[in-house]
Amino acid sequence: MGALLPLLIVAGCLTAVMGLLGALAARVRRRGTAGAAMGAALASYEEAFRTTSYAAHQEIRVQADRQAPLPSPRGRRGNGH
């Protein structure tokens, strides 16, 4: 029993940490706060280690922002007639 006790303690601590991380992940998903943080972290990683893909990504974002909005399907009058 003496050799089994440290393994049980480690397994219990690992289970507790994984449970807490799972609860934290569920809360972040519910609140919707993960998007901006993950986006910023991945952008800084790509800027530091993948400079060409980061530059290409920034150019794609700029081009997407520059696109003209689509015309209304109702036409110019907009009253549905």
Side-chain angles (χ1 to χ4, degrees), residues 8-78:
L8 288 175
I9 291 172
V10 169
C13 290
L14 183 61
T15 302
V17 167
M18 294 303 289
L20 289 173
L21 288 176
L24 178 65
R27 182 176 179 184
V28 166
R29 276 190 228 116
R30 252 184 284 126
R31 295 181 66 195
T33 56
M38 285 301 295
L42 290 174
S44 64
Y45 171 79
E46 286 207 3
E47 186 178 7
F49 295 107
R50 298 180 181 178
T51 56
T52 54
S53 68
Y54 178 77
H57 178 71
Q58 292 302 321
E59 182 60 32
I60 290 169
R61 288 183 64 195
V62 167
Q63 287 177 1
D65 290 342
R66 272 190 264 160
Q67 289 180 354
L70 295 175
S72 172
R74 293 183 174 177
R76 301 194 103 191
R77 294 188 335 205

